[in-house]
Amino acid sequence: MANRFVFDFDEPTAGGRDLLGGKGIGLAEMTHMGVPVPAGFTITTDACRAYMDEGDLPDGLEREVDEHVARLEERTGKRFGSSDDPLLVSVRSGAAVSMPGMMDTILNLGLNDAAAEGLAARTDNARFAYDSYRRLIQMFGEVVDGIDAHRFESALSSLKGGRQDTDLTPEELRGLVETFKDIYRQETGSHFPADARDQLLRAVRAVFSSWDNPRAQVYRRAHGIPDVLGTAVNVVQMVFGNKGDRSGTGVAFTRDPSTGSSGLYGEFLADAQGEDVVAGIRTPQPIEAMRDSLPNAFGQLVQTMRRLEEHYRDMQDVEFTVEDERLYLLQTRSAKRTAAAALKAAVSMVEEGLITREEAVTRIDPAQLDQLLHPMIDPTATVEPAAKGLNASPGAASGGIVFDADTAVERARSGPVVLVRWETTPDDIHGMIAAEGILTVHGGMTSHAAVVARGMGKPCVAGCEELSLGDGTATIGGQELREGDVITIDGGTGRVFVGRVPLVPPRINDDFETVLVWADDQRRLKVRANADNPEDAARSREFGAQGIGLCRTEHMFFGDERLPVVQEMILADSERGRRSALDRLLPFQQSDFEGIFEAMAGLPVTIRLLDPPLHEFLPAEDEATDEKMRSRIRALRESNPMLGTRGCRVGLMFPEIYEMQIRAIARAARAVHERGGEPPLVEVMHPLVGFREELARLRELTESVWAEEAPELDHLVGTMIEVPRAALRADEISEVADFFSFGTNDLTQMTLAFSRDDAEGKFLTRYLEDGVLERNPFEVLDVEGVGDLMRIAVERGRGAKPNLKLGICGEHGGEPRSIAFCHDLGLDYVSCSPFRVPLARLAAAQAALKEAGSGSYVAAGG
Ligand code: PEP
Ligand code: MG
């Protein structure tokens, strides 16, 4: 049927996740499986998009909602708006991509004074009826009318006066309802709406609008979720966890979301409703506690979770409610999990026969692997934690303390910060993004801070009750700390330290290694590393690099012993003077190359000759010590140094510099070979070439030096493709090149005319905020523009020379989406920083599996 906006959970699901949202599709699928789910219906994302376009609910939607409410009444035998036995519903947001806590939910819609009275009489439980009613007024007031939550919370806490919310008497709750209605009237100037239909339609509008609230926008930007998707809305019959001891609510995972270990994991709160668990109203119990208090519901939960994992063939997390010992599931989705948990779960599921190795490879989000590649606290350091909380999201982080999200953003510009909060709320999202790590006093493993930090791969220690917060101070272990004081947190163990603690680089564990080996079986792209010294080279091999794709030799020109000689070379008036300095640099370069060749033991090593403009090796003019230096600095000054005398232009102006470098490379290769080492496969790479003639001349220089120094050793000569002209004239350039390596940092800079050094600080951040651009092109390859130039270069280059070797060594070589593009383009390899090598291995495998039709997997959607 055209233009249909509403589907019952038990109707055939048309349109899937994109249309029904993650929550809607989960509820529909569970309904079809016969899992106990309350009745209800989903209003589609189409309706949300129409609402955003038109500014109001689209034509026909109200009528459809009425029809589906009528069906719900028939099904439940209750009437919406009735004062005798009222049907109550919740309205829950649910986008196609999971955005935990970003949008809004309202519970208990359908209550008013008379209905609350009726509900109290029907259930013989006035406490429950008025507790539900006060929650409705509060949530409705906050979500629909934007009333500050503190208005309601402070009324509630002054009534409690230190008691638990469950200790309030029915009379007190009835009084609280009156107080809340007064607050509502004061804040909005009108009475709380008593009409159930009116409540429902206003709630639907508010949830649609919440798609565009600032925190949801920030979250989408951080996770690369398009703004146009919109959210679905689920209208669900209420089931009540706040009916007393035989009721409750909780969240559960089919496996431990921190470690991936098998076995039910989660938290449960007796006599509570919906959001209480996440909001940290009372500290929840571990799920195991349900085994004694509610054995039947617990048994049913265990069995249902097993079924769900088998059905989805993936780790699930669910929200559930128990009403008078009856279990209901309110949501299921692929569980948000740490990278370690994702790997362990994937490996176990292969062992259990639940999924194949190929599927296991597609189940891991490559970007998330970064988490495991975070520094850890040095296990050999003797350090005493000042406090301990929950190990909510792994990795260690040090930074200055900040107490609110805005300050986190502000101070993060000048150094790492750790965000310290009583607990986080969705409004803190920008601060969480800016911080290196998050520490909260309150809240469990499923609290907002824990869930969001795990999703972002940020270290987080939650529920650190030993920490107390004052006005602009934090006290840990008897020490009072202020904003800016440094602490270290270890999200893997929950420890908190005062000051900076030594960190060590991460290691790849067995599960990680297993998945990577499976990935290696699938991928076609080779993965190399960008490394400039033997340590990085050795580390990159540990991570599985198959060679070095970029060794930037200018890094070898710095260092106390070398820089003065480099400066002497730059200041020399004659070629003779330059050669004399270069002769002294040569042994340094040679020994660096020997170290790298030895570490790479016969694998290919691409060495790029000097690239930056020479002024980068001289001090600023006002720091220069003598007049000669100052005048040289002035002579080298250029208005656009990035478009100036750099790259191969330096090599052609001062051939003796490149000659020394080539000689050092050839001698190093020979020395390693003569010592019995595997001869390296050396690839000499010339930067910033735009014309065939540039490379032709430099090739001649390379060959003649090589013939003098190491005639018996193989080598290749090639160029970076980082000037648009080089991409366009790739056919003729390939005549004198054995390989191309795309330098997409410069190619992006030159294609977009965005300065690599300035754009982010000047206009690019604003472009991203305003949505002029969806992604930072220095992070994620601009496939349409820069990518098209690459495609032209590949076609023209390989057209002229079919065996031309092709790679990428710009930053994009370590970014999953860009890697997928490089796979599609038919490159031979990607090269990235050593820590990104594992991620690139996985991303390359996923690209190959996608091409083979194994599809892509949306991790943790819901
Ligand atoms: C590039 O431009 O992409 C590149 C790898 O070179 P560099 O970053 O050293 O300019
Ligand atoms: Mg470059």
Side-chain angles (χ1 to χ4, degrees):
M1 200 204 292
N3 273 340
R4 204 181 140 185
F5 290 121
V6 185
F7 293 88
D8 274 343
F9 297 159
D10 62 354
E11 285 187 88
T13 50
R17 172 182 297 272
D18 288 346
L19 192 68
L20 300 177
K23 193 172 284 167
I25 192 90
L27 286 164
E29 283 190 38
M30 287 195 288
T31 304
H32 288 289
M33 286 169 70
V35 168
V37 167
F41 54 85
T42 303
I43 308 175
T44 63
T45 55
D46 273 350
C48 181
R49 284 187 290 269
Y51 177 82
M52 291 190 292
D53 287 346
E54 296 164 26
D56 200 2
L57 299 180
D59 282 350
L61 179 59
E62 291 190 21
R63 182 185 41 78
E64 274 191 74
V65 168
D66 290 339
E67 284 165 12
H68 287 265
V69 168
R71 279 199 63 191
L72 202 52
E73 290 176 332
E74 233 168 77
R75 186 93 52 85
T76 58
K78 295 169 191 277
R79 285 193 61 77
F80 193 48
S82 141
S83 50
D84 174 24
D85 184 14
L87 166 68
L88 304 188
V89 297
S90 64
V91 161
R92 296 161 183 270
S93 60
V97 188
S98 169
M99 297 171 49
M102 288 300 126
M103 289 173 301
D104 294 317
T105 288
I106 304 177
L107 306 182
N108 308 332
L109 288 152
L111 279 175
N112 52 33
D113 293 355
E117 200 68 50
L119 188 65
R122 258 294 159 164
T123 57
D124 196 17
N125 191 339
R127 200 198 160 278
F128 149 70
Y130 286 99
D131 185 51
S132 303
Y133 192 16
R134 66 96 186 163
R135 288 169 189 269
L136 167 65
I137 302 168
Q138 171 165 2
M139 278 187 258
F140 191 94
E142 286 172 31
V143 172
V144 178
D145 297 288
I147 300 174
D148 188 344
H150 291 113
R151 292 281 281 130
F152 298 109
E153 276 158 16
S154 59
L156 174 61
S157 55
S158 67
L159 179 64
K160 283 199 296 194
R163 291 173 299 165
Q164 296 278 20
D165 54 345
T166 42
D167 295 334
L168 297 176
T169 64
E171 286 65 40
E172 285 175 315
L173 285 165
R174 197 192 293 260
L176 188 63
V177 164
E178 291 309 316
T179 313
F180 277 14
K181 284 198 294 191
D182 287 344
I183 293 174
Y184 187 91
R185 205 170 39 245
Q186 287 157 17
E187 294 288 328
T188 63
S190 44
H191 289 285
F192 181 74
D195 180 62
R197 184 174 184 273
D198 184 29
Q199 288 175 1
L200 177 60
L201 291 174
R202 286 176 64 183
V204 170
R205 284 191 184 89
V207 172
F208 281 158
S209 302
S210 71
W211 173 257
D212 264 336
N213 71 32
R215 62 182 197 236
Q217 289 183 23
V218 171
Y219 187 94
R220 286 201 291 276
R221 214 168 295 130
H223 291 80
I225 302 169
D227 283 332
V228 295
L229 297 182
T231 181
V233 170
N234 301 287
V235 178
V236 192
Q237 181 200 358
M238 281 302 306
V239 287
F240 297 98
N242 57 337
K243 268 188 159 174
D245 290 346
R246 296 183 308 126
S247 304
T249 183
V251 291
F253 294 80
T254 53
R255 296 167 197 249
D256 184 327
S258 274
T259 65
S261 304
S262 306
L264 199 61
Y265 181 92
E267 288 171 340
F268 179 73
L269 201 53
D271 195 9
Q273 205 174 31
E275 314 306 294
D276 292 354
V277 178
V278 220
I281 302 291
R282 272 174 279 142
T283 302
Q285 297 172 288
I287 196 112
E288 274 296 314
M290 261 179 85
R291 190 191 290 278
D292 294 332
S293 58
L294 294 162
N296 292 340
F298 183 75
Q300 210 188 347
L301 178 66
V302 171
Q303 197 201 0
T304 304
M305 303 258 327
R306 196 173 306 132
R307 271 188 73 197
L308 286 173
E309 192 178 90
E310 276 168 21
H311 174 80
Y312 287 105
R313 302 163 72 233
D314 193 12
M315 187 174 156
Q316 297 292 296
D317 79 48
V318 306
E319 279 178 25
F320 66 91
T321 285
V322 180
E323 177 180 331
D324 288 332
E325 289 186 33
R326 275 194 65 184
L327 174 76
Y328 294 92
L329 272 80
L330 304 179
Q331 168 172 306
T332 187
R333 62 180 176 189
S334 289
K336 288 252 185 249
R337 63 203 99 168
T338 62
L343 290 164
K344 176 164 280 324
V347 171
S348 316
M349 283 193 249
V350 171
E351 284 162 2
E352 291 160 22
L354 206 57
I355 58 173
T356 63
R357 290 178 174 192
E358 289 79 8
E359 281 173 300
V361 166
T362 63
R363 292 295 166 89
I364 316 290
D365 176 2
Q368 209 193 5
L369 290 185
D370 210 22
Q371 268 181 41
L372 291 182
L373 302 170
H374 274 312
M376 306 285 189
I377 290 192
D378 183 350
T380 64
T382 39
V383 282
E384 267 304 306
K388 198 158 182 310
L390 300 171
N391 55 331
S393 178
S398 288
I401 306 184
V402 285
F403 296 108
D404 65 84
D406 291 340
T407 314
V409 171
E410 184 62 39
R411 286 190 82 121
R413 295 201 182 104
S414 48
V417 299
V418 175
L419 180 63
V420 179
R421 300 283 284 156
W422 169 249
E423 64 193 12
T424 61
T425 72
D427 287 330
D428 291 324
I429 187 78
H430 56 300
M432 299 175 77
I433 291 168
E436 292 295 305
I438 296 136
L439 171 61
T440 66
V441 181
H442 202 62
M445 293 295 278
T446 48
S447 65
H448 178 264
V451 172
V452 174
R454 280 200 292 274
M456 295 198 292
K458 289 246 152 122
C460 174
V461 174
C464 180
E465 311 266 355
E466 297 164 51
L467 173 73
S468 66
L469 296 183
D471 192 16
T473 63
T475 309
I476 314 178
Q479 294 185 64
E480 192 181 272
L481 305 174
R482 299 188 169 275
E483 186 178 295
D485 290 345
V486 174
I487 60 167
T488 301
I489 60 169
D490 179 1
T493 61
R495 291 174 302 165
V496 180
F497 305 85
V498 174
R500 206 173 295 283
V501 166
L503 305 182
V504 291
R507 292 244 174 73
I508 292 185
N509 70 13
D510 288 349
D511 297 322
F512 200 163
E513 191 57 46
T514 303
V515 172
L516 286 178
V517 168
W518 293 341
D520 291 346
D521 290 341
Q522 303 300 327
R523 70 187 157 91
R524 185 185 53 68
L525 275 174
K526 290 204 159 56
V527 177
R528 298 194 192 181
N530 294 354
D532 315 327
N533 57 58
E535 297 75 52
D536 282 358
R539 174 170 308 135
S540 71
R541 279 198 66 198
E542 276 170 33
F543 287 154
Q546 294 161 290
I548 289 179
L550 175 64
C551 171
R552 293 179 166 104
T553 52
E554 55 270 19
H555 295 172
M556 302 167 173
F557 278 32
F558 291 98
D560 294 345
E561 284 173 304
R562 306 164 186 210
L563 191 58
V565 190
V566 173
Q567 293 180 342
E568 194 183 314
M569 184 266 292
I570 297 172
L571 293 177
D573 298 322
S574 65
E575 185 182 325
R576 234 179 86 207
R578 280 192 295 278
R579 281 191 182 275
S580 135
L582 287 165
D583 284 347
R584 275 174 290 139
L585 278 176
L586 189 144
F588 288 123
Q589 288 247 289
Q590 183 179 333
S591 78
D592 290 338
F593 293 137
E594 285 180 30
I596 291 172
F597 292 157
E598 267 160 7
M600 296 313 287
L603 294 172
V605 177
T606 309
I607 298 177
R608 183 189 63 193
L609 304 186
L610 194 69
D611 181 52
L614 294 180
H615 75 82
E616 288 194 10
F617 299 99
L618 300 181
E621 191 181 347
D622 53 6
E623 285 165 20
T625 45
D626 61 80
E627 184 47 37
K628 185 165 184 198
M629 178 90 86
R630 273 192 290 276
S631 90
R632 191 79 185 114
I633 292 168
R634 282 194 292 274
L636 287 174
R637 183 170 297 146
E638 293 181 291
S639 305
N640 291 311
M642 275 288 138
L643 306 181
T645 317
R646 58 172 285 225
C648 66
R649 300 162 199 170
V650 175
L652 287 165
M653 302 260 294
F654 308 105
E656 54 279 9
I657 301 180
Y658 276 20
E659 186 191 314
M660 177 280 286
Q661 292 199 291
I662 299 161
R663 212 174 283 288
I665 297 167
R667 285 186 188 174
R670 193 161 160 198
V672 169
H673 184 42
E674 282 173 359
R675 284 203 289 274
E678 187 89 27
L681 180 52
V682 176
E683 301 173 344
V684 179
M685 180 156 77
H686 295 278
L688 219 75
V689 164
F691 296 85
R692 179 190 189 279
E693 189 56 23
E694 289 171 324
L695 186 61
R697 290 181 185 205
L698 291 171
R699 176 165 198 130
E700 213 177 292
L701 174 71
T702 313
E703 299 297 10
S704 76
V705 177
W706 200 274
E708 284 169 34
E709 299 291 346
E712 71 285 13
L713 295 183
D714 285 341
H715 68 284
L716 302 178
V717 181
T719 179
M720 302 190 70
I721 300 290
E722 45 189 350
V723 173
R725 188 182 194 282
L728 297 171
R729 307 303 291 180
D731 42 0
E732 54 192 35
I733 292 175
S734 73
E735 289 165 11
V736 284
D738 303 319
F739 66 90
F740 286 170
S741 178
F742 288 98
T744 45
N745 304 332
D746 271 308
L747 192 58
T748 300
Q749 161 164 273
M750 310 222 195
T751 304
L752 278 63
F754 280 13
S755 162
R756 280 167 73 169
D757 302 319
D758 300 316
E760 269 124 331
K762 299 290 183 197
F763 63 90
L764 185 48
T765 312
R766 185 66 191 280
Y767 263 33
L768 295 169
E769 276 167 16
D770 292 353
V772 177
L773 289 185
E774 225 167 70
R775 301 196 177 90
N776 181 339
F778 290 112
E779 247 169 67
V780 182
L781 192 76
D782 161 36
V783 168
E784 293 82 19
V786 178
D788 220 34
L789 276 173
M790 290 171 69
R791 190 191 314 281
I792 290 170
V794 169
E795 281 167 11
R796 295 188 184 167
R798 282 230 175 103
K801 182 178 272 185
N803 63 347
L804 186 69
K805 203 170 181 179
L806 296 170
I808 176 174
C809 62
E811 285 302 302
H812 307 93
E815 193 283 319
R817 277 170 284 207
S818 314
I819 292 170
F821 178 76
C822 293
H823 170 93
D824 295 342
L825 213 52
L827 300 194
D828 295 304
Y829 68 86
V830 296
S831 188
C832 54
S833 82
F835 283 113
R836 299 210 136 211
V837 166
L839 171 167
R841 289 163 69 188
L842 186 65
Q846 291 181 351
L849 283 166
K850 189 162 178 208
E851 186 187 51
S854 301
S856 66
Y857 165 80
V858 184

